[in-house]
Amino acid sequence: MMTHSQLKQFITEAILLFILGAAIVIGGHLLSSNNATRRIQNEYHSRFEEVLDCSSYEKVKSKALNDFPEINGVYIGYDQAGIPQGYVVDLTVKSPGEQDLGILVSLDYESTRVTGLALDNSEIDDAYYIGEDAMELIKEKVIGRQIPITFATEDYSEDDDNSENYTVEGLNDGVYYAQRLFDDRSRYIDYVEMEIENGVITRVNWDAFSTDKTNQDRSEASLKGAYIISGLDWATQSYNLCHALLECQEPDRLAMKSDGTTDIVEGVTCDIRPFVDLSKECIANSKAGYGKEEYMADLNAILLYVFGEGKEDEAAKYVNEKGNVVFSFEKTPELYTIYNDDNVAVGYMPVRQIEATINGTWSGETQKPEATPAVQDGDGNNNTPDYDSTEDGLTPGGLTENQIITDSMDDLPMSEMASFIAPVPDYYDETRTVIKACNTCYKFLKEYLNWKVN
C-alpha cells in the first residue's frame, strides 16, 4: 500500500509525463504543419515565380469562385514585409476550337494591370497549343495593360500637315459642349467644352464632374491629391492635352494609340480616349451650329424623358449648381446605342441625335463609327481571321477591314473596357484566347472586390 508521500510522487511523475507527452505531440504537429506549409509555399513559388515572384502566397477563399468554373485558384502574393504585391490567377479557358488552355495570369494588386503570363498545360490532355514565339508576341501586347481588354487595330495618325495654319473646315463660331452619358469606375463623367472663333478652335477645357454632387471635379481633386494617376497630376495632363489640340486643331492628329494613350503630347500618360471622342462630338456640333445652350437644354429634356412625366423634382436632383446633368444613363443603354441591321450595337448617338430621335424629328443620317482598318502583318498583308467574333469587339464575317467595333467582349460592355490592343498578326485565335483569360480574371475581381463599373 502506497504511503501518502509515494502517492504524491506518483501523481507528480504522471503529470510530468503527460506534459512531456503533450509537448512532444504538439511539437511534432507544429513541426509537421510547418513542413507542410513550407512544402506548399515551395510549390507555389515554383509555379508562380515566372509571373509573380513573391516571398509567400495565400490562396483566396471566396464564394465568388463558384461562378467561375474556368478558375482553378486565385492567390495573393506578399513580399517579405507581408505587403500584398499582386494576384495570380490559375485558369483553364476554352480556345475558339473548344480546346483547353491552361494559363497563369498575374495582376498588380493596386492597378490590376497584367504583370505576367505563363502557359500551364502540364495537366491537360490535348491542350491548346501556343508556340513560344507567338506567346512572346502576345505578352508584348498584353503585359502592362489594365483589364478588361478588347480588340482594336493599332491606329497611329500620321502628322500629314504640320503647318501652323491647319484648321478644320466647316466650323461655326461659338461655344460647344459634349459629355459622356455614363460615369467611369470612379463615378466621374467626362466633358469637353470648346470655343471657336473665326473658324479656329481657340479654347478647350477637359474635365469631369462626379455623380456625387458633394465631390470635387476631377481636376480640383487631382490637385489636392484626392484623385491620383501615374505621372503628372491629372489636371496638368488635361491642360497639356488641351493645349496640344489648340496647336494641331484636329483630335485625330493627337495620334491616339489603340490603348488610349499618346506618345506625342509631352507629360500626358493618361487615357485620352474620352477627350478625343468628346472633342470630335464638339466639332460635329460646331459644324451643325448646335451650341452649348441647345446641348444642355436637350440633355435636360432627355433626363426628364428617362424619369417620366410628373417627376421633374426628382430629375432636378441630378443637376448640379453649374447646370451639369450629373446623372449616369448606364442603365438605359438602348436610349443612346446605335444598332446595325443585325441588331448589334455599333456605337453611341450624340445628344443632338438622341433628343431628335425621341421627338421623331431626326432627319440626318445615323452616325456610326468608321470601319476598323485591317490588321496588317510584317509584310503589309491584311490578315483575315476565320473566327466568330460576335463578342470580341468585331462583327462576325467578312474581311477585317470591313469589321467594326461592337459593344461587347466576353460579355463585358465596351464602355467598361480599359485597354485596346490589336491581335498579334497570324495569331488571332491565340491572342483572343489569352484575352479571354484576362477578362475572366477581371469578371472575378469585379465580383470579389465589388467594383463599381459602367
Side-chain angles (χ1 to χ4, degrees):
M1 185 173 179
M2 287 187 179
T3 64
H4 180 75
S5 176
Q6 289 175 326
L7 181 61
K8 183 177 180 181
Q9 182 180 356
F10 175 78
I11 293 173
T12 302
E13 290 175 351
I15 293 174
L16 290 174
L17 286 173
F18 176 79
I19 293 173
L20 180 60
I24 292 173
V25 171
I26 294 173
H29 177 74
L30 291 175
L31 181 62
S32 175
S33 178
N34 287 337
N35 288 337
T37 300
R38 190 179 300 111
R39 185 170 60 252
I40 291 172
Q41 287 297 321
N42 288 339
E43 180 183 343
Y44 286 164
H45 195 271
S46 64
R47 287 191 62 205
F48 304 150
E49 64 178 343
E50 182 178 352
V51 294
L52 186 67
D53 189 4
C54 287
S55 178
S56 63
Y57 303 86
E58 178 182 0
K59 190 171 185 178
V60 171
K61 296 179 181 180
S62 170
K63 292 182 179 179
L65 285 167
N66 296 334
D67 297 328
F68 299 92
E70 310 96 327
I71 298 179
N72 306 314
V74 179
Y75 308 83
I76 299 176
Y78 298 87
D79 64 12
Q80 291 183 341
I83 299 173
Q85 299 300 299
Y87 297 95
V88 178
V89 186
D90 177 9
L91 306 100
T92 303
V93 294
K94 294 289 185 181
S95 71
E98 293 298 310
Q99 289 180 282
D100 288 332
L101 176 73
I103 187 170
L104 298 174
V105 179
S106 65
L107 305 163
D108 180 75
Y109 191 76
E110 295 295 339
S111 68
T112 62
R113 292 184 181 274
V114 180
T115 57
L117 296 167
L119 300 181
D120 188 19
N121 289 321
S122 57
E123 298 183 5
I124 300 176
D125 296 330
D126 191 28
Y128 182 60
Y129 176 75
I130 299 180
E132 290 184 9
D133 292 343
M135 194 62 192
E136 288 304 313
L137 293 171
I138 293 171
K139 286 181 180 180
E140 291 178 7
K141 290 278 187 179
V142 176
I143 291 178
R145 307 290 190 184
Q146 187 170 357
I147 55 175
I149 302 169
T150 190
F151 277 150
T153 58
E154 295 286 355
D155 184 15
Y156 297 92
S157 299
E158 296 293 335
D159 193 4
D160 55 350
D161 185 353
N162 217 8
S163 66
E164 295 180 359
N165 297 322
Y166 180 87
T167 58
V168 177
E169 295 184 0
L171 298 183
N172 291 301
D173 291 356
V175 176
Y176 301 94
Y177 177 89
Q179 73 177 58
R180 278 194 160 180
L181 296 181
F182 43 82
D183 55 352
D184 64 14
R185 190 180 300 173
S186 300
R187 299 184 184 272
Y188 280 107
I189 295 177
D190 288 85
Y191 70 87
V192 168
E193 184 172 304
M194 179 182 295
E195 187 169 357
I196 296 172
E197 298 178 9
N198 299 320
V200 177
I201 302 172
T202 58
R203 181 178 64 85
V204 183
N205 179 42
W206 175 31
D207 208 338
F209 46 79
S210 175
T211 54
D212 182 347
K213 291 189 292 185
T214 63
N215 289 341
Q216 301 165 326
D217 285 357
R218 186 192 285 153
S219 59
E220 186 177 357
S222 72
L223 292 173
K224 293 184 177 180
Y227 183 90
I228 300 174
I229 61 174
S230 61
L232 300 174
D233 61 79
W234 188 89
T236 300
Q237 294 196 36
S238 171
Y239 173 83
N240 290 346
L241 192 61
C242 290
H243 184 73
L245 181 58
L246 292 178
E247 291 183 340
C248 71
Q249 292 288 303
E250 169 59 58
D252 283 336
R253 289 159 61 84
L254 295 172
M256 180 179 71
K257 298 188 292 185
S258 60
D259 64 353
T261 60
T262 177
D263 289 332
I264 71 168
V265 184
E266 185 176 357
V268 174
T269 58
C270 66
D271 183 354
I272 70 170
R273 189 176 302 276
F275 175 77
V276 170
D277 291 345
L278 294 173
S279 294
K280 288 182 176 180
E281 187 173 347
C282 284
I283 288 173
N285 290 343
S286 172
K287 291 181 178 180
Y290 182 70
K292 179 181 178 180
E293 291 186 4
E294 293 174 89
Y295 184 104
M296 299 304 292
D298 284 348
L299 187 56
N300 274 276
I302 295 169
L303 182 66
L304 290 174
Y305 174 82
V306 170
F307 277 84
E309 294 184 8
K311 295 187 177 180
E312 290 82 358
D313 291 343
E314 187 174 349
K317 296 177 182 178
Y318 293 93
V319 179
N320 65 17
E321 59 183 12
K322 298 179 182 178
N324 299 115
V325 173
V326 298
F327 180 78
S328 176
F329 293 86
E330 61 180 334
K331 294 183 179 179
T332 56
E334 69 281 355
L335 188 66
Y336 53 85
T337 306
I338 300 172
Y339 299 90
N340 65 12
D341 295 337
D342 296 323
N343 202 35
V344 175
V346 294
Y348 302 122
M349 298 182 193
V351 164
R352 181 167 59 98
Q353 184 176 340
I354 297 171
E355 195 278 334
T357 301
I358 290 174
N359 293 326
T361 59
W362 179 253
S363 58
E365 293 184 2
T366 300
Q367 297 183 15
K368 295 183 180 181
E370 297 178 358
T372 301
V375 181
Q376 294 187 336
D377 59 24
D379 299 323
N381 300 315
N382 292 335
N383 292 313
T384 309
D386 181 17
Y387 176 61
D388 181 6
S389 52
T390 305
E391 292 186 351
D392 66 6
L394 301 175
T395 57
L399 297 175
T400 310
E401 62 262 36
N402 295 327
Q403 296 181 336
I404 52 180
I405 295 298
T406 67
D407 71 337
S408 176
M409 179 74 154
D410 295 319
D411 297 322
L412 293 167
M414 294 300 290
S415 61
E416 200 165 321
M417 292 299 163
S419 301
F420 296 77
I421 70 168
V424 174
D426 297 327
Y427 298 111
Y428 180 92
D429 286 358
E430 292 86 343
T431 313
R432 178 68 182 89
T433 307
V434 172
I435 287 180
K436 182 179 181 180
C438 293
N439 288 345
T440 301
C441 297
Y442 172 81
K443 287 191 284 187
F444 165 73
L445 289 175
K446 176 181 173 182
E447 185 172 336
Y448 173 62
L449 299 174
N450 194 27
W451 281 339
K452 163 66 175 73
V453 296
N454 294 322

